[in-house]
Amino acid sequence: MKRPFFLLASALILAVPSMAQDDPVIMKINGQDILRSEFEYFFNRNSQGEELTKKTLTEYADLFIDFKLKVEDAKEEGLDQTEQFLSEFREYRDSQAEEFAMDTAWLETMALQTFENSQMEVGPKGLYQLAALTIVPASTSEEDVEIAAQRMDSLYACIQGGEDFRSLAARFSEDQYAYQGGMLGWFSEGQLPRQLGQVVFALNTGEMTKPLLTNVGWQVFKVYDKQSFESFDEHRAAIYEWLREGGFYDRAKLLKARNFVEQKGWEELTDSVILIRYDESLEELYPEFGHISREFYEGLLMFEISNRKIWDPALTDSVSLEKYYAGHKSDYRYEKPVFKGILMFCRDDVAYHEIDRILEGKNQEEWVPAIIDFNMDSVQVRVMRGPFVEGDNAYADKVIFGKDNDASIAGYPSMYSRGTMLKAPEDWTDVSGQVVADYQDMLEKEWVKSLRKKYKYKVNKKVLYTVNNH
């Protein structure tokens, strides 16, 4: 495998760490022991530095229980066995496992060695970004070489006279780089023939060589930019990506896996079996990874079950939403009058009167489709759908609320509104976003209430109050 010059071109097992004396059971949920470390991870991820009090811990314990009960409900419905769930979890879990599964110290050593070797090959002068103009003799005869030299001398004189190097290279250069204006890329001195490298790397940025006869033909080289090789940190990402592509990540994982099975006393295992056994043990070996893995596993289940129980029904069950709104109508009032309707921007008053005639007698749901049909041949009317509240939209402020401003759309000088000013919602669709959110909240509360009746749970408050204090 060629080393690069950088800048030049199983089974799903959620293992729970073994219970130790310093990690007691903090609660039991549906027959499962929850260790203090798991709750601490949840608390510290979500509390965002809140004061640690018995009241705070009790509130977060309730949130944690609700979360866990939703996960249990998802498992009971078999959501943890679906192909989509298993695939999505496995993909995320494997991506997170890399940091823990590999021998990162060995990998860092390989990265540093790669950097040092590349740095030595680049040399102290760093990298030059070069362009070339090339004229190739028709043959190796002295006459053809001289003819090519004369052509190059003419082009060289043009460049010295102010002609753009890359433009001339694109037009006259006789090599594969002509299409990109002669740009060759980045080079170290060692990548060029010795004598050529000495000449080119004596130039400053913006300077060019005299015409040189190389093994390609007559050439003029120009330096467009320079870069030092800089530091390891600035190349770290590129080096690690190269290591990944070169199989070093797999080797780093196998090194750590072999050490693991040796400690277990397992002998005569193939590399593939070693990797499988090691992968199955990661959550137990590395508690932090166990928390990360479990958090995503259960969060994915909670999301899917909530989508089925709460979010989808609330978005699609218009009958229930209408019924909910009717029972809570007093909760939905407008702080300011709301204009329910549309704004129309017309090419001229003729277009406005025509569309106004078409919309007459139609309900609001039919207005926009009718305008779309009207614009079939050419766009005579542009439309903006409400509702509108004073101060939220400059066009509405001007047309509906009588504000003096410069709001206008080029080519559509005639602006009109069509609709009704409301002091309160006419039906639930006027405040659909808020109604849906409130209905979802009600469904969730009812769901959680039923889950707390369905599944058993118990909190050890003595252990709970030792969280982050033991």
Side-chain angles (χ1 to χ4, degrees):
M1 181 175 57
K2 186 178 179 181
R3 185 160 42 77
F5 283 138
F6 296 99
L7 295 179
L8 301 183
S10 109
L12 292 175
I13 297 179
L14 274 178
V16 178
S18 301
M19 182 174 21
Q21 291 181 352
D22 61 349
D23 195 8
V25 174
I26 196 170
M27 62 182 74
K28 187 183 287 286
I29 298 177
N30 196 29
Q32 300 179 39
D33 289 340
I34 307 298
L35 303 184
R36 180 174 59 194
S37 60
E38 182 182 346
F39 178 77
E40 277 184 335
Y41 179 81
F42 171 87
F43 178 80
N44 293 326
R45 285 270 289 173
N46 294 281
S47 61
Q48 297 180 343
E50 291 183 48
E51 184 181 0
L52 187 64
T53 65
K54 288 184 177 181
K55 181 176 182 293
T56 304
L57 288 170
T58 301
E59 289 173 348
Y60 274 90
D62 282 337
L63 292 173
F64 184 77
I65 290 168
D66 291 344
F67 171 75
K68 284 286 191 176
L69 293 179
K70 292 175 183 177
V71 173
E72 290 302 308
D73 214 31
K75 290 179 180 178
E76 186 170 297
E77 294 198 8
L79 299 185
D80 58 335
Q81 301 302 316
T82 66
E83 184 177 344
Q84 179 179 347
F85 169 80
L86 294 174
S87 174
E88 188 171 350
F89 170 69
R90 169 56 75 181
E91 182 178 354
Y92 175 83
R93 187 251 187 208
D94 288 351
S95 69
Q96 298 301 307
E98 271 192 348
E99 178 183 351
F100 299 90
M102 293 186 300
D103 187 334
T104 53
W106 177 84
L107 199 62
E108 181 77 355
T109 299
M110 294 298 101
L112 284 168
Q113 287 182 4
T114 301
F115 170 77
E116 290 168 359
N117 292 337
S118 295
Q119 189 178 47
M120 288 177 60
E121 293 188 32
V122 166
K125 293 183 180 179
L127 301 165
Y128 278 32
Q129 187 184 39
L130 303 178
L133 192 158
T134 304
I135 298 298
V136 181
S139 72
T140 58
S141 69
E142 290 186 9
E143 183 180 358
D144 286 338
V145 171
E146 180 59 28
I147 291 172
Q150 292 174 8
R151 290 177 59 203
M152 176 60 84
D153 287 342
S154 297
L155 293 170
Y156 185 69
C158 290
I159 297 170
Q160 289 181 311
E163 292 280 346
D164 181 66
F165 186 97
R166 294 191 62 186
S167 296
L168 289 176
R171 292 171 60 194
F172 300 107
S173 194
E174 298 172 343
D175 60 21
Q176 67 268 37
Y177 301 101
Y179 78 97
Q180 51 193 23
M183 295 302 296
L184 305 177
W186 291 91
F187 288 82
S188 67
E189 185 174 355
Q191 287 181 284
L192 300 178
R194 184 170 175 274
Q195 290 184 339
L196 178 60
Q198 290 175 347
V199 173
V200 170
F201 276 75
L203 300 175
N204 293 317
T205 301
E207 293 181 342
M208 62 180 177
T209 66
K210 294 179 179 180
L212 303 170
L213 184 59
T214 70
N215 60 349
V216 176
W218 287 100
Q219 293 186 290
V220 173
F221 294 88
K222 182 173 181 178
V223 178
Y224 271 85
D225 201 1
K226 294 182 181 181
Q227 284 187 347
S228 63
F229 200 68
E230 302 169 329
S231 68
F232 172 70
D233 286 340
E234 288 173 303
H235 293 283
R236 176 185 290 273
I239 292 173
Y240 268 83
E241 183 59 32
W242 179 80
L243 291 175
R244 178 195 292 277
E245 294 174 356
F248 285 83
Y249 275 39
D250 294 334
R251 290 167 61 186
K253 185 173 182 180
L254 186 58
L255 284 172
K256 207 166 186 180
R258 283 173 177 165
N259 183 57
F260 165 70
V261 298
E262 285 175 7
Q263 291 176 355
K264 288 288 187 179
W266 298 334
E267 299 177 354
E268 298 181 0
L269 298 178
T270 64
D271 286 350
S272 59
V273 174
I274 287 174
L275 287 171
I276 290 172
R277 291 199 181 183
Y278 180 55
D279 183 75
E280 291 175 347
S281 304
L282 288 177
E283 280 85 357
E284 185 175 0
L285 287 170
Y286 308 103
E288 183 183 354
F289 174 65
H291 291 315
I292 293 171
S293 183
R294 179 175 48 241
E295 180 183 37
F296 186 79
Y297 183 92
E298 295 183 342
L300 199 58
L301 286 175
M302 196 275 287
F303 177 86
E304 183 58 33
I305 191 69
S306 297
N307 198 41
R308 296 189 181 197
K309 298 275 187 175
I310 306 296
W311 303 327
D312 274 356
L315 289 172
T316 58
D317 189 354
S318 58
V319 174
S320 294
L321 288 168
E322 185 174 4
K323 183 178 179 181
Y324 177 84
Y325 172 77
H328 301 80
K329 186 176 288 189
S330 60
D331 296 338
Y332 304 98
R333 300 181 182 276
Y334 291 145
E335 294 182 5
K336 295 191 295 186
V338 172
F339 184 82
K340 182 180 180 181
I342 59 174
L343 290 174
M344 295 184 293
F345 307 85
C346 305
R347 287 283 189 192
D348 48 42
D349 287 340
V350 174
Y352 165 69
H353 291 302
E354 180 63 19
I355 194 62
D356 188 57
R357 180 187 63 78
I358 292 172
L359 299 184
E360 190 66 32
K362 296 183 182 294
N363 60 49
Q364 283 204 21
E365 289 72 22
E366 297 175 305
W367 290 353
V368 173
I371 292 173
I372 293 173
D373 289 341
F374 179 73
N375 288 330
M376 191 64 68
D377 294 329
S378 64
V379 179
Q380 297 296 308
V381 179
R382 296 181 65 175
V383 64
M384 191 176 293
R385 193 196 302 265
F388 301 103
V389 179
E390 185 176 348
D392 288 351
N393 182 295
Y395 303 109
D397 285 349
K398 182 175 184 177
V399 178
I400 299 170
F401 300 103
K403 299 296 182 181
D404 184 16
N405 63 40
D406 297 329
S408 63
I409 295 180
Y412 297 84
S414 300
M415 299 191 295
Y416 300 92
S417 64
R418 187 179 186 89
T420 307
M421 190 71 74
L422 302 177
K423 293 183 178 180
E426 290 183 323
D427 57 51
W428 76 272
T429 59
D430 292 337
V431 283
S432 58
Q434 187 178 350
V435 172
V436 168
D438 292 344
Y439 183 60
Q440 287 175 336
D441 186 56
M442 183 198 74
L443 289 179
E444 182 168 14
K445 288 177 180 177
E446 291 178 348
W447 181 34
V448 169
K449 186 177 180 180
S450 69
L451 293 177
R452 284 181 171 251
K453 290 181 179 180
K454 182 177 181 180
Y455 300 106
K456 292 182 179 181
Y457 58 91
K458 185 177 181 179
V459 178
N460 186 334
K461 290 190 176 181
K462 185 177 179 180
V463 176
L464 176 65
Y465 298 146
T466 67
V467 166
N468 287 349
N469 187 27
H470 54 87

